[in-house]
Amino acid sequence: MRIPGPDHEEDGGLRAVAAAGGLHRYPLRLHDTYGPVVRFQLPGVGEAVSVADPVLLEATAHIDKRPEKLFTFLDPLCEAGNLQVLPADEHTPWRRLLLAVLAGRPAHERHFPRFTDLARELADRWAAHAGSGPVELQKELTALSLRMICEFALGGADADTDADRVVTAFEEVLTEHLGRLYQVPRADPRSAQRADAALAYLRATVDRVVAAHRPDGRTDRSDLIGALVEAGHSPARIRDTVMVTLLAAHHTTGVAVSWTLHLLGRHPDAADRVAAELDRVLGDRAAPDYGDLRRLPYLDMVLKESMRLFPPGPYGARETTEDLTLGPYEIPAGTTVFYPFWAVHLNPGHWPDPQRFDPERFTPRKVAERPRHAYIPFGIGPRSCEGAALATVEAQLILAVLLKRLRFSPAPGHEVTPTERFVLWARDGIWMTAHPRA
């Protein structure tokens, strides 16, 4: 049976994507028109098959290959091969090592006090700013999330490492390479040279941290770099891993928290309930301990519902390595399978009234009633996000610190419009007013 979809266009699908408002929105239109499995032109790749049914997604969850064409923009950042498209035999041990570090409670607890200090510094600044007009959440919160992952990846214990310079350098690299991906005209012809210099600085910084790793295998500088050194990875692979970790974690946590505060500002009853839970668990303390996070179930439900409505990464993709049966359809080997996370999260067959904000969707009973892949903000299978557990801890901590002290309301007259900029971003920012809690 032939998979339904729109007619092929000479431009490879560019106009259709633009007319829909971007690749994050295009699948919503496709699946609304053609059903749960759609054949379409994915610009830069060719034909792809998009799957928005969580039950059918199960048949693709084992795939351990990404389409190389989608990730060529990262090639200049990687010296030892693009880590996003490593073959399975290399990817599996590398992923196992990253999970041991990024998903491990010992590393989370070790870095938690410094993460807390960074979150409280932001809360202090916003509290001092209260009454002086709205703040733009995305810029501040993505900078905070980048500082946190820099602390984690680089250790933060090297006196010669300037955290602000690392943040600035990475922003220059990211802006340049994402600009190439989206074919954004350069306003300054020297931007490429600055990005190259910034990339060289970042690599030199990683090299310095690697050199500080002690021969006895113990280090107090970086769990991530220490694990890579002990596993015998080359300096180039270590540098690549740090760069890709910074890239993956740079915007995701910050935008997840931004969208959560945006939703709470529009749903004061939910904000009241979060505040009451924080007061009950923390008492007079301004920030949670690591163990307190599991005692904040409603905050966790709010975060999950926010990432359902606004998944930080709105889509993903895999490439089949063998023929695959997907419901009534036969998918040949070599096919690009597109994962429209946003369309999956808004599938009305599994999310009644899908556009409505309702944290109660994530009670244990409700979760058990849904297919496993109905909620996939971090992807699925062996190429899902290795940093999901760390990102969740960071987001919960930031939200707890901010909401224990502040309440947020939308800036009057400001419209928040989702767009796609590597992550699901608000085009004109998320402007909100922070008010001290009584």
Side-chain angles (χ1 to χ4, degrees):
M1 181 183 294
R2 179 170 171 78
I3 299 173
D7 294 335
H8 275 224
E9 300 292 343
E10 292 294 329
D11 68 351
L14 286 171
R15 278 194 300 272
V17 171
L23 191 54
H24 61 302
R25 290 193 179 276
Y26 188 39
L28 300 176
R29 180 179 297 183
L30 287 173
H31 289 289
D32 185 55
T33 303
Y34 298 102
V37 181
V38 180
R39 168 190 46 78
F40 76 109
Q41 288 173 283
L42 180 58
V45 174
E47 188 169 88
V49 174
S50 182
V51 185
D53 186 322
V55 177
L56 294 178
L57 281 175
E58 188 73 41
T60 75
H62 67 285
I63 301 175
D64 193 1
K65 181 177 174 57
R66 284 194 174 115
E68 293 186 12
K69 290 182 180 179
L70 281 181
F71 295 91
T72 55
F73 78 101
L74 291 176
D75 287 348
L77 304 185
C78 297
E79 301 170 276
N82 192 326
L83 290 170
Q84 293 297 320
V85 293
L86 283 179
D89 60 339
E90 288 186 64
H91 175 258
T92 299
W94 179 79
R95 173 181 171 82
R96 189 178 298 122
L97 184 151
L98 258 63
L99 285 171
V101 176
L102 298 175
R105 175 170 178 163
H108 295 173
E109 286 189 294
R110 189 154 45 250
H111 291 274
F112 198 80
R114 180 56 182 151
F115 288 173
T116 303
D117 289 343
L118 291 170
R120 292 186 68 173
E121 288 171 11
L122 180 61
D124 289 344
R125 191 161 68 250
W126 281 359
H129 183 82
S132 302
V135 294
E136 203 290 287
L137 302 189
Q138 287 179 141
K139 181 179 178 180
E140 297 259 26
L141 288 167
T142 55
L144 173 60
S145 66
L146 181 54
R147 282 181 168 82
M148 284 184 170
I149 197 60
C150 282
E151 289 284 340
F152 194 96
L154 300 177
D158 187 342
D160 295 324
T161 298
D162 182 338
D164 288 337
R165 187 177 175 191
V166 168
V167 171
T168 300
F170 190 75
E171 283 283 6
E172 289 180 350
V173 172
L174 186 66
T175 299
E176 172 66 17
H177 289 280
L178 286 181
R180 295 176 192 175
L181 172 65
Y182 295 114
Q183 300 178 348
V184 176
R186 291 188 181 94
D188 184 345
R190 296 171 296 178
S191 61
Q193 294 177 333
R194 286 200 302 270
D196 289 343
L199 180 57
Y201 166 73
L202 290 172
R203 286 173 173 162
T205 299
V206 175
D207 284 344
R208 188 168 61 249
V209 178
V210 171
H213 185 79
R214 295 190 291 229
D216 61 8
R218 294 182 297 113
T219 180
D220 56 3
R221 284 179 167 80
S222 169
D223 301 285
L224 177 60
I225 290 177
L228 291 162
V229 170
E230 291 165 20
H233 284 284
S234 69
R237 177 54 57 81
I238 294 172
R239 287 191 291 267
D240 293 350
T241 300
V242 172
M243 290 298 297
V244 169
T245 301
L246 294 178
L247 173 68
H250 174 230
H251 280 137
T252 48
T253 304
V255 297
V257 175
S258 298
W259 287 117
T260 303
L261 294 176
H262 161 75
L263 288 166
L264 287 174
R266 283 155 175 77
H267 297 86
D269 290 347
D272 287 344
R273 187 168 169 184
V274 169
E277 181 178 72
L278 288 168
D279 290 345
R280 184 173 64 255
V281 173
L282 303 186
D284 293 333
R285 289 180 293 142
D289 296 328
Y290 180 78
D292 289 326
L293 296 184
R294 66 183 59 190
R295 301 167 59 208
L296 299 169
Y298 189 71
L299 178 70
D300 182 58
M301 290 193 292
V302 165
L303 175 61
K304 287 176 177 173
E305 175 68 347
S306 171
M307 289 195 292
R308 181 188 72 83
L309 287 167
F310 298 105
Y315 52 77
R318 303 290 185 269
E319 183 178 313
T320 58
T321 54
E322 57 188 7
D323 294 349
L324 181 71
T325 300
L326 203 60
Y329 307 112
E330 296 298 323
I331 311 295
T335 299
T336 296
V337 177
F338 188 80
Y339 292 154
F341 300 150
W342 211 10
V344 174
H345 287 183
L346 298 179
N347 185 325
H350 301 281
W351 302 99
D353 194 5
Q355 298 282 359
R356 180 170 55 90
F357 175 70
D358 180 12
E360 294 295 322
R361 299 180 197 270
F362 288 93
T363 63
R365 181 180 64 80
K366 295 277 185 67
V367 170
E369 293 173 352
R370 287 191 296 268
R372 181 167 60 135
H373 296 309
Y375 176 69
I376 47 175
F378 297 107
I380 65 175
R383 298 276 174 164
S384 59
C385 176
E386 291 87 5
L390 177 62
T392 300
V393 167
E394 290 175 349
Q396 290 173 335
L397 169 63
I398 295 169
L399 287 167
V401 170
L402 293 177
L403 294 171
K404 184 68 169 71
R405 187 167 178 182
L406 300 165
R407 191 178 182 96
F408 295 84
S409 61
H414 176 63
E415 183 177 347
V416 177
T417 304
T419 190
E420 190 261 328
R421 201 187 82 176
F422 194 65
V423 293
L424 196 62
W425 189 258
R427 185 182 61 203
D428 300 312
I430 299 177
W431 290 89
M432 302 192 78
T433 302
H435 310 272
R437 286 186 60 209

